[in-house]
Amino acid sequence: MAEVQEKQINKRSPEQREARIARARLLESLVYEMWDGKPVYYAGYKDVLNGTKSVEEAMSSSLLQGILVAKLVARLMNALNEDEFTVVTNELGIQFKKNDWRACDVAIFSTTQLTDQDLTKYAWIPPKIAIEVDTKADFTRFHSDFNYYQEKTTQLLNFGTEKVIWIFTESKKIWIAEPGKDWILKNWDQSIDVLPGCSFVLDALLTGKKPTP
């Protein structure tokens, strides 16, 4: 009797199998980053699985985040020599090793760094500068949101990134981290040095006004 019940429990209809396969594929599409073989999903992924939110809603940026990234990229490309530096955006994947990669809103590479890089793959070389505007990550597997930011920043710096800049839209703060230095917090109306000869003031970028000396 027990054997019969076990077979009945394990037996699934074609519809049930298809539903499980579809759910697995949906969950795979909601992976935001991969941390040493363990997925970090987009924030709100559970709402997508429950059918109360679309995949696009979970993955999309707010209008403010989109404007910030667009204006920031324009500023960087205008200030940097394009023969010397390459500015990359669109949530670039930075690969530490197999099944271990992070997403990055804006990254700056020395153009010579990309000589041996397969441009159809995630970047396997560290960017000189990594810039993040908030995050789309779900914090469930972390002790806190700060734990996520701190761990990701440390990993990028250990990988060889020279500077990590976090822009937070809710608190209007900017967190800057460099290896061997104290990590500092600045306001949106303060100048942020990116590379020699290249800086930005977020308030000025958003309003179009020149920053106050």
Side-chain angles (χ1 to χ4, degrees), residues 26 29-30 42-60:
L26 178 59
S29 73
L30 292 167
Y42 279 89
Y45 80 98
K46 292 181 180 179
D47 294 328
V48 177
L49 295 178
N50 293 332
T52 59
K53 181 181 288 188
S54 69
V55 174
E56 291 74 19
E57 286 176 314
M59 295 181 175
S60 298

XYZ file of all heavy atoms in Angstrom, residues 26 29-30 42-60:
165
model
N 11.134 30.656 -15.247
C 10.821 32.010 -14.791
C 11.773 32.417 -13.679
O 12.300 33.536 -13.671
C 9.374 32.071 -14.305
C 8.895 33.416 -13.750
C 9.028 34.509 -14.804
C 7.451 33.310 -13.266
N 15.122 33.322 -14.992
C 15.152 34.634 -15.642
C 15.202 35.776 -14.633
O 15.503 36.916 -14.994
C 13.920 34.805 -16.537
O 12.739 34.996 -15.771
N 14.901 35.478 -13.375
C 14.867 36.504 -12.331
C 16.160 36.577 -11.522
O 16.212 37.244 -10.494
C 13.687 36.239 -11.388
C 12.303 36.445 -12.008
C 11.221 35.861 -11.116
C 12.044 37.933 -12.254
N 16.267 39.309 -8.379
C 15.761 40.678 -8.403
C 14.816 40.883 -7.227
O 14.047 39.981 -6.863
C 14.991 40.944 -9.691
C 15.848 41.262 -10.890
C 16.319 40.253 -11.720
C 16.169 42.585 -11.214
C 17.095 40.535 -12.832
C 16.947 42.877 -12.317
C 17.406 41.860 -13.127
O 18.183 42.144 -14.221
N 14.865 42.069 -6.649
C 13.908 42.412 -5.599
C 12.507 42.328 -6.196
O 12.265 42.797 -7.312
C 14.182 43.818 -5.074
N 11.591 41.706 -5.471
C 10.229 41.553 -5.973
C 10.017 40.298 -6.790
O 8.938 40.094 -7.350
N 11.032 39.415 -6.818
C 10.887 38.193 -7.622
C 9.761 37.297 -7.102
O 9.108 36.597 -7.888
C 12.209 37.425 -7.663
C 12.518 36.579 -6.453
C 12.253 35.210 -6.446
C 13.070 37.146 -5.297
C 12.527 34.428 -5.340
C 13.346 36.372 -4.185
C 13.082 35.018 -4.204
O 13.357 34.245 -3.106
N 9.523 37.325 -5.792
C 8.446 36.500 -5.240
C 7.084 36.978 -5.742
O 6.176 36.170 -5.965
C 8.490 36.522 -3.711
C 9.706 35.811 -3.121
C 9.686 35.840 -1.600
C 10.904 35.141 -1.022
N 10.917 35.191 0.458
N 6.948 38.288 -5.940
C 5.702 38.832 -6.475
C 5.490 38.375 -7.917
O 4.356 38.144 -8.341
C 5.711 40.364 -6.407
C 5.718 40.885 -4.984
O 5.134 40.214 -4.116
O 6.315 41.942 -4.745
N 6.593 38.246 -8.653
C 6.494 37.743 -10.032
C 6.043 36.289 -10.018
O 5.163 35.889 -10.790
C 7.849 37.874 -10.765
C 7.751 37.282 -12.172
C 8.279 39.334 -10.843
N 6.626 35.496 -9.142
C 6.242 34.078 -9.049
C 4.791 33.924 -8.631
O 4.108 32.985 -9.051
C 7.160 33.355 -8.054
C 8.646 33.250 -8.435
C 9.424 32.564 -7.320
C 8.836 32.511 -9.751
N 4.314 34.863 -7.797
C 2.925 34.803 -7.334
C 1.944 35.402 -8.334
O 0.731 35.343 -8.138
C 2.783 35.528 -5.987
C 3.528 34.817 -4.872
O 3.707 33.604 -4.930
N 3.958 35.558 -3.866
N 2.486 36.017 -9.379
C 1.637 36.587 -10.408
C 1.113 37.976 -10.123
O 0.241 38.473 -10.835
N 1.632 38.649 -9.076
C 1.164 39.993 -8.740
C 2.039 41.087 -9.330
O 1.749 42.269 -9.181
C 1.099 40.171 -7.211
O 2.404 39.945 -6.650
C 0.110 39.192 -6.596
N 3.132 40.692 -9.980
C 4.031 41.665 -10.605
C 4.623 41.019 -11.856
O 4.859 39.810 -11.886
C 5.133 42.084 -9.630
C 6.113 43.112 -10.175
C 7.180 43.460 -9.146
C 6.616 44.302 -8.017
N 7.701 44.806 -7.120
N 4.859 41.811 -12.877
C 5.448 41.277 -14.104
C 6.968 41.229 -13.979
O 7.563 41.904 -13.120
C 5.059 42.146 -15.303
O 5.694 43.411 -15.231
N 7.582 40.449 -14.857
C 9.049 40.376 -14.880
C 9.626 41.760 -15.160
O 10.611 42.178 -14.541
C 9.523 39.379 -15.956
C 11.043 39.419 -16.083
C 9.064 37.967 -15.617
N 9.003 42.486 -16.070
C 9.488 43.822 -16.440
C 9.434 44.773 -15.253
O 10.336 45.598 -15.071
C 8.660 44.382 -17.600
C 8.858 43.670 -18.929
C 8.186 42.308 -18.990
O 7.266 42.054 -18.157
O 8.574 41.501 -19.851
N 8.393 44.656 -14.447
C 8.272 45.527 -13.271
C 9.392 45.253 -12.278
O 9.924 46.174 -11.651
C 6.919 45.316 -12.597
C 5.759 45.927 -13.357
C 4.422 45.607 -12.714
O 4.202 44.433 -12.350
O 3.597 46.524 -12.569
N 9.758 43.990 -12.116
C 10.823 43.633 -11.173
C 12.184 44.110 -11.667
O 13.037 44.505 -10.866
C 10.847 42.123 -10.958
N 12.397 44.072 -12.965
C 13.707 44.388 -13.524
C 13.901 45.871 -13.850
O 15.027 46.328 -13.977
C 13.937 43.573 -14.798
C 14.023 42.081 -14.585
S 14.336 41.239 -16.155
C 14.525 39.542 -15.587
N 12.816 46.603 -13.981
C 12.907 47.982 -14.462
C 13.428 48.940 -13.394
O 13.263 48.728 -12.197
C 11.535 48.454 -14.950
O 11.092 47.675 -16.033
